[in-house]
Amino acid sequence: MTAQEKVQHLDDGYFDWEPESGEAPQPEPMNLIFAKVMEILTYVGMIVMVVFGAAYLFGIKPFIHPSVVVSNWHLEADKFWTLIKGHPIRGYYFFKHLNTMDCLSLLGISTLAIAPFVSMLFSFFKADKTYKIFFLIVMAIFMFAILKPILLTNLGGGH
Amino acid sequence: MRKKWLKWGVFVFLTICMFLLWHYSAWGAEATPAHTSAWYKWPLILFCFAFIIGIIAPMTGVGGGVLFVPVSTALFPFNVDFVRGAGLVLALTSALSSAPTYIKKNLANFRITIPILMISSLSSIIGGILGLWISNAFPQGKYYITTALGLVLFLIFVVMVTSKKVEFPEVKEMDSISKKLRLGGAWFEPSLNKVVRYKATRFLWGLLGFVGAGFIAGMFGLGAGWANVPVLNLVMGLPLKVAIATSMVIIAVNDAAAAWIYLAKGAVLPIIVVPSVLGVTIGARIGARIAHKAKPTFLKYLVLGILLLAAVMDVVKGLKGLGII
């Protein structure tokens, strides 16, 4: 069976909606805007993470000195932070210490972690009614992941 | 027949060799505080380690996180919490780097991704919360996680050995939900010089698969491409290229949501993450260039061997920690 024949069955009984252009079908606007926003935020996040992370590894203005991290990183996260800062971490401590290189590097990682949410937010306005509802549900789940440590103290909030 | 025996012989040999290496090396010993004065060697070690993973991963179609997490857990002295945090960021950066390109080429499609994400992102967050809770709430929690990780690796190994990928699966009839949501699309395939159209089926079965895949991704910090692609390809009937692209978008959103759980718990350490991400990114670029020169069968067996070995090492390390062996 040739490659052409292999895909022949895919041409049968296709949807009534056809790609408008002939050879290369264009992505829907909600897909396109998602990709563009995600691309920009990924570049920004990667640059911030790597540049400040490298500065941290050269020992420039750390929140926790790398030697302290290395000597305690065998501990669980809660014990690690209790030993170093006196209490387990429950929230986004690094936002309060953006004058240090490791916290700035974590800001870059947060930018990467928020990229899909922001991209969905932009795509939302280009989506049809059904997909607007889907977007809202996914964004609500995402918001829960972000806000949970701040709002639900007993399940990991506080400090 | 002879080839098959050879294949399994390589697995067994690799497993025994690496187990002995691990058993008699200082790395395999119970994690102890590292020498403070020699901290600067770690970013270098991590970079080299991630660099090698970065080269191997794209040549075999395995995500970097799938190799990084189990091997780091088995070999390095840092806690499994920080390994999972780093693995998640690793999988996230890889997915974020490739997802926009796939979407622009019309290979990944939100019509299919968003309904799946409603379920998989939730299970990924629950996995992240539960994983960190187990390792921190129980005195021997990290050993439970390490043992479970080893068992999951066995599962990944079995999936990789047994699943057969279909380049263009035939979908005779769409299910009612897929039809209503218009789960399909089209892209221009340069190798065929034509537009290939596709449509999805068995939506609810696919969704069930993503509950498990999302949970494992969040709990162990693994990218879930090994599970996503077979579900999209074999269950939902999407062409292989579309399945890989769609899986990348799913990983990007799921891992981003789970990453917040690890960030808020202080389980993401730049000293581990930054050299690892750099190593994998640079390694992956080189790996992609030499992929066509390498022998894929040998590499596939190598990766399978590493996975099996890491599975054995993680299970042994976990059971040892629990005092069972």
Side-chain angles (χ1 to χ4, degrees), chain A residues 3-4 6-15 17-19 22-28 30-32 34-36 38-39 42 46 49-50 53-54 56-57 59 65-81 89-95 102 105-106 109-110 112-116 120 123 128 130-131 134-135 137-138 141-142 144-146 148-149, chain B residues 31-36 39 42-43 46 77-79 81-82 89 92-93 96-97 99-100 103-104 106 108-112 114-115 117-118 121-122 125 129 135-136 139 142 167-171 174 181-188 192-199 239 249 252-253 256-257 259-261 263-275 277-278 281:
Chain A
Q4 291 279 352
K6 255 187 190 176
V7 294
Q8 192 57 52
H9 62 266
L10 292 165
D11 290 339
D12 305 329
Y14 187 57
F15 307 103
W17 52 284
E18 294 278 337
E23 278 294 87
Q26 294 302 305
E28 287 184 63
M30 71 168 175
N31 289 325
L32 209 56
F34 181 90
K36 279 181 182 167
M38 184 180 261
E39 203 166 32
T42 302
M46 286 283 273
M49 177 183 76
V50 170
Y56 169 65
L57 294 179
H65 196 275
S67 62
V68 179
V69 176
V70 170
S71 56
N72 294 296
W73 65 11
H74 61 288
L75 300 168
E76 289 84 10
D78 278 355
K79 283 182 191 159
F80 174 90
W81 287 102
I89 291 288
R90 299 281 187 273
Y92 307 110
Y93 69 98
F94 48 91
F95 285 130
D102 40 346
S105 182
L106 286 168
I109 296 173
S110 319
L112 295 172
I114 199 79
M120 279 189 278
S123 299
D128 59 41
T130 312
Y131 274 81
F134 291 167
F135 269 116
I137 294 169
V138 178
I141 294 168
F142 212 104
F144 168 75
I146 297 172
K148 184 200 107 12
Chain B
T32 49
H35 292 291
T36 307
W39 70 267
W42 282 106
L46 279 166
F78 34 84
N79 192 276
D81 284 358
F82 304 120
V89 177
L92 174 65
T93 46
L96 285 175
S97 306
I103 295 170
K104 282 178 188 170
N106 222 12
N109 187 339
F110 257 133
R111 295 223 157 263
I112 297 166
I114 281 287
L117 281 173
M118 288 195 296
S121 58
L122 190 63
I125 292 165
I129 293 171
S135 63
N136 285 277
K142 73 172 179 182
E167 209 171 344
F168 299 106
E170 187 171 359
V171 175
M174 294 172 83
L181 296 175
R182 295 192 301 170
L183 301 187
W187 88 98
F188 178 73
L192 299 168
N193 197 30
K194 70 173 283 184
V195 172
V196 179
R197 293 159 185 172
Y198 60 89
K199 49 195 177 182
V249 181
V253 181
W260 285 101
I261 307 295
L263 278 167
K265 192 83 174 171
V268 180
L269 297 176
I271 194 171
I272 301 174
V273 172
V274 174
V277 169
L278 268 179
T281 309

